[in-house]
Structures are given as structure tokens and as C-alpha cells.
């Protein structure tokens, strides 16, 4: 048993692994809760053909938390570019699919892969089966499928799942119940973060938890999801889906995005998220605005080390109070 503080991080997509790479350097007990709503690309193909939860987001988190030689991680993350049925598949996705077949259980497969990759922490899917994400748009239409929602090009009113058919993992709920800090984000609001919170038992566990809850707001808006959203709009969407306030602190970026980078994102109908501090404060939230900007191949990212350091400092402060 560890006596390190327990931190639960919830999300998916590209944001969660970026954060975890920094967090694993701190003396904390990490549990990463990962979405299983992905239905596109390699994950979607394996999900459909093998009837297993999509492995892609889990693969990225396993790689981020692994303590193995760089070449092993590179091999695990390798994506085939061929002219046959392997094209587009990541090797790690295929290994997780094979391990699921061997063990007969997706969660057991993740546990075995965690041992193989010497993972620093626990990787927990929000459910042990695929989740079909649906969105009700502001015009009343319903869009089915995580990958189809942003492509619809409409404003989202709410996202939902068929809750009657989805059950949470006991281990996932237990991790939330035992957490000293719960971190949500960064990541796509409607397709990476909320799908976890909508799994029966998970959102409820977060809301009732006495742990501090920190939301890391995205730096850029996302076309088809959060067009023109401010920071408070992101938080309001989470509150609306949970039906109660469930965040104590919001971390936002205060550094200006360079004009040439803005121009690139403008082509994708994306722009920097406006952090409306007064509105956030009026919602009863503590607001931490810092320079947490990083660039990777002209892509805006959160600075892994800075964000991880700030989370660890916030955790220590909250435990001392």
C-alpha cells in the first residue's frame, strides 16, 4: 500500500497523456480514468470487428505512464502505413486487442499490459464495454458516434449515452472515492471528458467526493464542439451535464498565442479560449491563470512540466488546509 497522495485524472484524446507524462514525475499515486467512447480510426475498426472497447485512448495513456526504454514505447506506439488491412493500426492497439482475447476481459488486458510496460500508476477505463456517445444538437437533431459529433458542424446542446446498458468499473468508482484530488481535462469537452462523467456512478462519485476538483481548461476552442466558447462556457457545460457544480478550481492559460499560430488555427475555425475570470469567480470557482503554453509542430499544447508542477502544488496546499 502506498501512502502517497491519490490523484485521479479523467479524460482522453491527446490532452490526458500530455498531462500524465509530467505528473508521473511527482510522488503521487495516479489513477487515470480513460474514455471508451472512441469509434474512429484504428480503435473504431477494432471495436467493430472484435467487439471490444476501443483501445486507442488507453494505449496512449499506458505509453505516457510507462517506464520502459524509449524504443519499446516507440514500438508500442508505432502505426503501420501499408497498403493492406494493417494500414492505420497502431501496434499497441493490436497488442491490447490480443491481450483482451487471451484474458477474455478488457480490464484484465490493461492490467497485464501495465505490468509489461512498467506503468507508473493505474489505468482504468470508465467502463468495461464500449460506450456509444450521442449528441442532441441545438436544432433538435441527434448525432450518434463520438467521431461524427464534431463533423456535424452544429452547436451541441448536450451529449448522452444509453445509461441502462453501461456499468462503471468498481475499481474506477473506488479510485474516485479514495482520491485526494480529482483532475478533469485537458481534452475535448464533449467527446473526451464528458463521456467519462456520463457513465452511471462515475459522475455521481465525482460530485459526492470531498476531494478538491480541478478543471484544466483547453487553450484553444474546437470546431464542431466548443466554437466561440469561453472558459466559463466549458465549466457551465460540465455543470449542466452533472446538474450540480462539481469543480472547485479552474486552471487557464494567460499567455498570448502568437499571431502566426492563431492564423493556422483560424483555418480550422479555432481560436484561443477567452478566460473570463470574473464570470468564473462568480460561479464560485478559484481561478488560476498562468503561462502554461507550449508548442509542438505548430500545435498548441499545455506545458507538461508546468501544469504538473502546478497540480502538485495545488494538491499539497489542499492537503495542508
Amino acid at each position: 500500500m502506498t501512502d502517497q497522495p491519490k490523484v485521479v485524472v479523467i479524460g482522453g484524446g491527446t490532452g490526458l497523456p500530455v498531462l500524465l507524462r509530467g505528473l508521473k514525475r511527482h510522488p503521487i499515486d495516479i489513477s487515470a480514468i480513460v474514455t471508451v467512447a472512441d469509434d474512429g480510426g484504428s480503435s473504431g475498426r477494432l471495436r467493430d470487428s472484435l467487439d471490444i472497447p476501443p483501445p486507442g485512448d488507453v494505449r496512449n495513456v499506458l505509453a505516457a505512464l510507462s517506464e520502459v526504454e524509449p524504443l519499446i514505447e516507440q514500438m508500442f506506439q508505432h502505426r503501420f502505413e501499408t497498403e493492406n488491412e494493417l494500414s492505420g493500426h497502431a501496434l499497441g492497439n493490436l497488442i491490447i486487442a490480443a491481450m483482451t482475447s487471451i484474458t477474455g476481459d478488457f480490464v484484465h488486458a490493461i492490467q497485464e499490459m501495465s505490468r509489461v510496460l512498467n506503468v507508473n500508476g493505474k489505468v482504468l477505463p470508465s467502463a468495461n464495454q464500449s460506450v456509444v456517445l450521442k449528441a442532441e444538437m441545438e436544432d433538435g437533431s441527434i448525432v450518434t458516434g463520438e467521431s461524427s459529433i464534431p463533423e456535424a458542424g452544429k452547436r451541441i446542446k448536450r451529449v448522452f449515452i444509453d445509461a441502462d446498458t453501461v456499468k462503471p468499473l468498481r475499481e474506477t468508482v473506488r479510485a474516485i472515492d479514495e482520491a485526494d484530488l480529482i483532475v478533469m481535462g485537458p481534452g475535448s469537452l464533449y467527446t473526451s471528458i464528458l463521456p467519462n462523467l456520463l457513465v452511471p456512478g462515475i459522475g455521481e462519485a465525482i460530485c459526492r467526493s470531498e476531494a478538491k476538483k480541478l478543471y484544466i481548461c483547453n487553450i484553444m476552442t474546437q470546431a464542431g464542439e466548443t466554437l466561440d466558447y469561453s472558459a466559463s462556457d466549458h465549466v457551465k457545460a460540465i455543470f449542466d451535464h452533472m446538474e450540480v457544480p462539481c469543480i472547485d478550481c479552474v486552471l487557464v492559460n494567460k499567455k498570448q498565442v502568437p499571431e502566426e499560430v492563431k492564423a493556422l488555427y483560424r483555418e480550422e475555425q479555432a481560436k484561443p479560449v477567452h478566460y473570463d475570470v470574473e464570470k468564473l469567480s462568480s460561479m464560485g470557482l478559484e481561478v488560476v491563470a498562468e503561462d502554461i503554453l507550449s508548442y509542438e509542430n505548430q500545435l498548441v499544447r499545455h506545458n507538461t512540466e508546468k501544469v504538473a508542477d502546478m497540480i502538485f502544488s495545488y494538491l499539497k496546499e489542499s492537503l495542508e488546509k
Side-chain angles (χ1 to χ4, degrees):
M1 292 292 290
T2 177
D3 57 359
Q4 293 178 333
K6 293 179 169 62
V7 178
V8 166
V9 190
I10 301 169
T14 57
L16 186 58
V18 167
L19 174 59
L20 292 170
R21 286 184 187 279
L23 273 183
K24 73 178 180 180
R25 302 302 173 199
H26 290 277
I28 55 177
D29 182 357
I30 300 172
S31 292
I33 298 177
V34 190
T35 177
V36 282
D38 188 12
D39 63 358
S42 168
S43 277
R45 288 161 60 192
L46 291 171
R47 167 181 171 149
D48 293 341
S49 60
L50 301 177
D51 191 27
I52 63 170
D57 285 322
V58 165
R59 182 196 84 244
N60 286 327
V61 169
L62 286 169
L65 288 174
S66 67
E67 301 285 0
V68 290
E69 290 295 325
L71 189 59
I72 300 296
E73 182 185 341
Q74 189 179 348
M75 180 181 71
F76 188 67
Q77 291 286 62
H78 176 73
R79 194 174 293 276
F80 293 98
E81 296 177 5
T82 60
E83 297 300 322
N84 56 30
E85 62 273 10
L86 276 178
S87 181
H89 278 306
L91 179 60
N93 287 355
L94 299 174
I95 293 173
I96 294 169
M99 192 66 81
T100 302
S101 178
I102 292 167
T103 63
D105 181 76
F106 186 62
V107 174
H108 193 180
I110 295 170
Q111 291 168 345
E112 292 301 324
M113 288 309 306
S114 295
R115 278 191 274 276
V116 170
L117 294 170
N118 193 24
V119 163
N120 182 356
K122 291 190 288 291
V123 180
L124 300 164
S126 52
N128 201 13
Q129 73 252 53
S130 299
V131 169
V132 178
L133 188 67
K134 300 179 182 180
E136 180 186 355
M137 301 305 188
E138 287 192 348
D139 66 0
S141 61
I142 303 294
V143 178
T144 299
E146 182 256 16
S147 61
S148 302
I149 291 169
E151 295 175 358
K154 300 176 179 180
R155 286 188 72 85
I156 299 168
K157 181 179 179 183
R158 67 181 180 110
V159 287
F160 61 99
I161 63 174
D162 293 328
D164 293 343
T165 63
V166 179
K167 294 180 180 177
L169 277 180
R170 282 197 302 268
E171 299 97 311
T172 304
V173 175
R174 189 184 311 122
I176 295 168
D177 288 340
E178 295 176 354
D180 295 300
L181 176 67
I182 297 169
V183 180
M184 290 172 263
S188 300
L189 177 62
Y190 289 103
T191 55
S192 288
I193 297 171
L194 281 168
N196 292 298
L197 308 189
L198 294 172
V199 172
I202 298 238
E204 292 88 337
I206 292 168
C207 291
R208 72 169 177 259
S209 171
E210 295 181 1
K212 287 288 187 181
K213 302 167 193 82
L214 172 67
Y215 174 59
I216 303 173
C217 190
N218 292 342
I219 296 173
M220 307 296 292
T221 62
Q222 190 173 352
E225 284 206 40
T226 54
L227 189 67
D228 295 327
Y229 271 38
S230 66
S232 67
D233 290 328
H234 284 75
V235 174
K236 184 177 182 299
I238 294 173
F239 286 2
D240 287 348
H241 282 76
M242 292 295 97
E243 298 182 350
V244 293
C246 55
I247 295 170
D248 299 298
C249 180
V250 180
L251 175 58
V252 294
N253 170 61
K254 71 173 183 180
K255 186 176 181 181
Q256 289 290 321
V257 178
E259 197 54 49
E260 63 271 18
V261 178
K262 281 187 193 175
L264 291 172
Y265 274 86
R266 213 171 286 129
E267 295 173 10
E268 301 176 11
Q269 291 186 293
K271 62 184 182 182
V273 172
H274 170 58
Y275 62 99
D276 43 352
V277 175
E278 287 188 8
K279 183 69 179 294
L280 290 166
S281 297
S282 73
M283 298 168 75
L285 299 163
E286 179 184 349
V287 183
V288 178
E290 294 288 347
D291 167 14
I292 50 174
L293 197 58
S294 179
Y295 303 104
E296 187 180 313
N297 301 322
Q298 294 295 306
L299 294 173
V300 170
R301 293 283 184 261
H302 287 80
N303 185 302
T304 305
E305 286 76 23
K306 280 187 179 179
V307 174
D309 290 347
M310 293 178 67
I311 290 172
F312 188 63
S313 295
Y314 181 74
L315 169 65
K316 286 197 296 182
E317 288 171 15
S318 64
L319 290 175
E320 288 166 2
K321 288 179 180 176

